[in-house]
């Protein structure tokens, strides 16, 4: 499975709307700086200097990853389900089309201009050693293009 395919659900799910309204601290654009994948066997893969950006809007966000000549673009609908957690549903994707319509929860924390996200993808039981069981990302706020 490609890194882009594994990271899209994580990186794309960064924009939210709060329980009582928009989650203003998340609105805008973020560039992933470090992404850590944890595999079922306990090993890790760390990517630094990511080519992924996320643009958060009121109810949707768009993730763009430039791993190849043609960027991968994924759109999600999201909502905050409780403090520090949002649920995101994939609406469109130029890559992981089999995941369109799926929903996943993400834990998030904004600290100034830094956004930390953790998700735990569903895997079969027992999980194959190479299955990603957790993804952590650190992103920095950037100007939107």
């Amino acid at each position: 499975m490609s890194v882009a395919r594994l990271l899209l659900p994580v990186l794309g799910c960064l924009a939210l709307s709060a329980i009582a309204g928009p989650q203003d601290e998340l609105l805008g654009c973020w560039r992933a700086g470090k992404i850590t994948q944890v595999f079922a066997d306990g090993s890790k893969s760390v990517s630094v200097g990511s080519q992924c950006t996320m643009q958060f809007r009121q109810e949707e966000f768009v993730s763009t990853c430039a791993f190849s000549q043609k960027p991968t673009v994924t759109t999600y609908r999201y909502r905050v389900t409780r403090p520090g957690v949002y649920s995101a549903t994939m609406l469109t994707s130029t890559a992981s089309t089999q995941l369109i319509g799926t929903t996943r929860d993400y834990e998030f924390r904004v600290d100034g201009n830094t956004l930390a996200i953790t998700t735990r993808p569903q895997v079969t039981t027992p999980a194959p050693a190479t299955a990603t069981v957790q993804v952590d990302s650190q992103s920095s706020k950037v100007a939107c293009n």
Side-chain angles (χ1 to χ4, degrees):
M1 185 174 287
S2 73
V3 171
R5 187 171 169 192
L6 291 171
L7 298 179
L8 282 174
V10 173
L11 296 173
C13 293
L14 298 177
L16 324 163
S17 120
I19 295 169
Q23 189 73 19
D24 292 339
E25 64 187 353
L26 289 170
L27 297 178
C29 295
W30 302 87
R31 177 173 301 283
K34 180 179 179 183
I35 301 166
T36 303
Q37 291 177 279
V38 180
F39 301 99
D41 67 1
S43 65
K44 295 180 181 182
S45 172
V46 178
S47 172
V48 179
S50 173
Q51 298 298 315
C52 295
T53 59
M54 294 74 59
Q55 182 175 8
F56 298 88
R57 300 177 183 139
Q58 295 294 323
E59 296 177 3
E60 292 182 355
F61 66 93
V62 177
S63 169
T64 303
C65 292
F67 291 113
S68 62
Q69 291 180 341
K70 183 177 180 184
T72 300
V73 180
T74 306
T75 304
Y76 299 84
R77 178 176 299 119
Y78 68 89
R79 67 183 178 90
V80 173
T81 56
R82 62 186 186 272
V85 177
Y86 66 89
S87 180
T89 301
M90 185 184 289
L91 301 176
T92 66
S93 178
T94 59
S96 301
T97 56
Q98 74 278 8
L99 297 175
I100 291 174
T102 62
T103 300
R104 184 183 299 170
D105 287 340
Y106 297 81
E107 299 168 16
F108 73 94
R109 182 177 38 83
V110 176
D111 184 11
N113 288 325
T114 302
L115 171 62
I117 296 176
T118 297
T119 188
R120 293 167 186 84
Q122 293 180 352
V123 294
T124 59
T125 303
T130 58
T132 302
V133 296
Q134 181 172 314
V135 180
D136 300 303
S137 68
Q138 296 281 334
S139 299
S140 298
K141 192 100 180 206
V142 295
C144 295
N145 295 333

